[in-house]
């Protein structure tokens, strides 16, 4: 396995790059890719920057240029359900691009020519990440939606929840990585620590949370995930 680890923001990957043994760096397409051994796993860490296009490009480059065989996206997200609280972790089973709408040619949310509106994550990776995360905090599994908007208004999150009732979390990259991995046949998973309630307080909660809690969670979960993977093979 060569594992690609993507986050949008530096805080979401805090400490991981420093944990890489025998690191090498390569800048390509305005991103810095750092490879090496992460708790004995061959890994490449990169910050995608924010949004679906940025994430799609980064995932593609990881596969095509760095030869990664598996991808994990780790980051923060807004809550999409009243039972999903700030500080909980959501591990995606499916991802939807909530701002994709080619209707009436195709049903809302369906990605043309794939026949899909939901992209499923890899079961084994998802299982292992959820198990690692459960040792840190409360974990939920289900649907995450991505779009090119920071959801920071109560009316916005309510509208999304009405359209996608099983929504657990909302963010800006996961579903783009999902589509790329589906099309390239690469197993992937998405794990998100809830940073805000995607409502009118979202921007303030987000900034505070990401600096204090989210960075530590991501590190702990990825460390456990890698060690468990090495034990199991
Ligand atoms: N003010 C920040 C903006 C970050 S955008 C900055 O300048 O750096 C929010 C990032 O966190 C995105 O990468 C997204 O995936 C995730 N995220 C967290 N809460 C979100 C929300 N409520 N809506 C959409 N994305 C959210």
């Amino acid at each position: 396995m060569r594992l690609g680890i993507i986050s949008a923001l530096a805080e979401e990957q805090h400490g991981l790059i420093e944990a890489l043994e025998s690191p090498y760096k390569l800048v390509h397409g305005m991103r810095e890719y750092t490879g090496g051994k992460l708790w004995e796993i061959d890994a490449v860490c990169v910050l995608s920057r924010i949004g679906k296009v940025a994430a799609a490009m980064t995932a593609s480059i990881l596969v095509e240029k760095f030869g990664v065989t598996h991808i994990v996206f780790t980051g923060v997200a807004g809550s999409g359900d009243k039972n999903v609280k700030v500080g909980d972790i959501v591990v995606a089973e499916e991802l939807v691009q909530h701002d994709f709408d080619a209707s009436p040619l195709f049903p809302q949310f369906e990605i043309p020519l794939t026949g899909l509106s939901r992209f499923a994550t890899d079961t084994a990776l998802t299982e292992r990440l959820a198990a690692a995360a459960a040792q840190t905090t409360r974990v939920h599994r289900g649907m995450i939606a991505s779009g090119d908007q920071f959801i920071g208004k109560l009316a916005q999150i309510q509208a999304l929840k009405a359209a996608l009732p099983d929504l657990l979390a909302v963010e800006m990259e996961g579903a783009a990585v999902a589509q790329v991995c589906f099309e390239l046949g690469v197993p992937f998973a998405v794990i998100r620590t809830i940073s805000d309630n995607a409502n009118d307080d979202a921007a303030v909660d987000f900034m505070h949370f990401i600096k204090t809690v989210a960075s530590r969670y991501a590190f702990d979960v990825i460390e456990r995930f890698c060690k468990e993977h090495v034990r199991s093979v």
Side-chain angles (χ1 to χ4, degrees), residues 35-102:
K37 288 271 176 198
L38 197 57
W39 298 289
E40 295 179 47
I41 287 190
D42 188 13
V44 182
C45 295
V46 58
L47 302 179
S48 61
R49 320 202 315 203
I50 296 166
K52 291 192 299 173
V53 173
M57 166 167 169
T58 309
S60 308
I61 300 285
L62 270 176
V63 175
E64 295 299 321
K65 195 173 170 68
F66 292 86
V68 307
T69 58
H70 298 71
I71 289 182
V72 168
F73 192 108
T74 172
V76 295
S79 170
D81 188 273
K82 63 179 186 327
N83 293 318
V84 176
K85 310 284 186 201
V86 170
D88 291 358
I89 283 178
V90 177
V91 183
E93 289 180 344
E94 298 182 310
L95 294 114
V96 177
Q97 295 180 40
H98 69 68
D99 55 355
F100 205 111
D101 188 355

Side-chain angles (χ1 to χ4, degrees), residues 1 7 15 19-20 23 54-55 70-71 96 105 113 115 118 125 138 143 145 148 181 184 189 192 200 202 209 215 226:
M1 165 158 98
S7 302
L20 280 167
H70 298 71
I71 289 182
V96 177
L105 303 179
L113 311 184
R118 293 166 178 241
L125 283 179
R138 204 155 70 108
M143 193 267 277
D148 287 326
C181 287
L184 294 176
R192 294 278 183 174
D200 299 320
F209 185 82
S215 48
C226 289

Side-chain angles (χ1 to χ4, degrees), residues 212-232:
T212 53
V213 187
S215 48
R216 205 163 37 79
Y217 278 15
F219 185 89
D220 290 352
V221 171
I222 297 293
E223 178 177 8
R224 259 186 244 113
F225 169 82
C226 289
K227 287 181 170 168
E228 190 49 45
H229 179 81
V230 167
R231 247 198 303 274
S232 73

Side-chain angles (χ1 to χ4, degrees), residues 8-215:
L9 311 168
E11 292 87 347
E12 295 170 322
Q13 224 174 69
H14 182 76
L16 285 183
I17 289 174
E18 292 73 15
L20 280 167
E21 282 175 45
S22 320
Y24 60 90
K25 279 191 194 301
L26 205 126
V27 175
H28 181 83
M30 301 174 75
R31 283 145 183 82
E32 188 172 271
Y33 295 78
T34 311
K37 288 271 176 198
L38 197 57
W39 298 289
E40 295 179 47
I41 287 190
D42 188 13
V44 182
C45 295
V46 58
L47 302 179
S48 61
R49 320 202 315 203
I50 296 166
K52 291 192 299 173
V53 173
M57 166 167 169
T58 309
S60 308
I61 300 285
L62 270 176
V63 175
E64 295 299 321
K65 195 173 170 68
F66 292 86
V68 307
T69 58
H70 298 71
I71 289 182
V72 168
F73 192 108
T74 172
V76 295
S79 170
D81 188 273
K82 63 179 186 327
N83 293 318
V84 176
K85 310 284 186 201
V86 170
D88 291 358
I89 283 178
V90 177
V91 183
E93 289 180 344
E94 298 182 310
L95 294 114
V96 177
Q97 295 180 40
H98 69 68
D99 55 355
F100 205 111
D101 188 355
S103 61
L105 303 179
F106 297 90
Q108 189 185 9
F109 306 124
E110 183 171 311
I111 304 303
L113 311 184
T114 65
L116 296 173
S117 57
R118 293 166 178 241
F119 292 89
T121 55
D122 179 71
T123 315
L125 283 179
T126 297
E127 204 69 61
R128 183 154 292 151
L129 272 178
Q135 294 184 47
T136 297
T137 186
R138 204 155 70 108
V139 178
H140 309 263
R141 286 166 64 154
M143 193 267 277
I144 295 182
S146 316
D148 287 326
Q149 291 116 28
F150 183 80
I151 305 297
K153 295 223 176 350
L154 187 59
Q156 275 179 303
I157 190 65
Q158 285 174 340
L160 274 181
K161 187 69 176 172
L164 297 163
D166 59 338
L167 177 72
L168 292 187
V170 62
E171 37 87 314
M172 302 177 68
E173 298 85 16
V177 172
Q179 186 182 341
V180 167
C181 287
F182 169 76
E183 293 182 358
L184 294 176
V186 170
F188 76 98
V190 176
I191 177 164
R192 294 278 183 174
T193 305
I194 300 302
S195 56
D196 60 84
N197 286 314
N199 58 15
D200 299 320
D201 302 323
V204 182
D205 296 349
F206 172 84
M207 290 314 287
H208 173 69
F209 185 82
I210 188 166
K211 288 203 164 51
T212 53
V213 187
S215 48

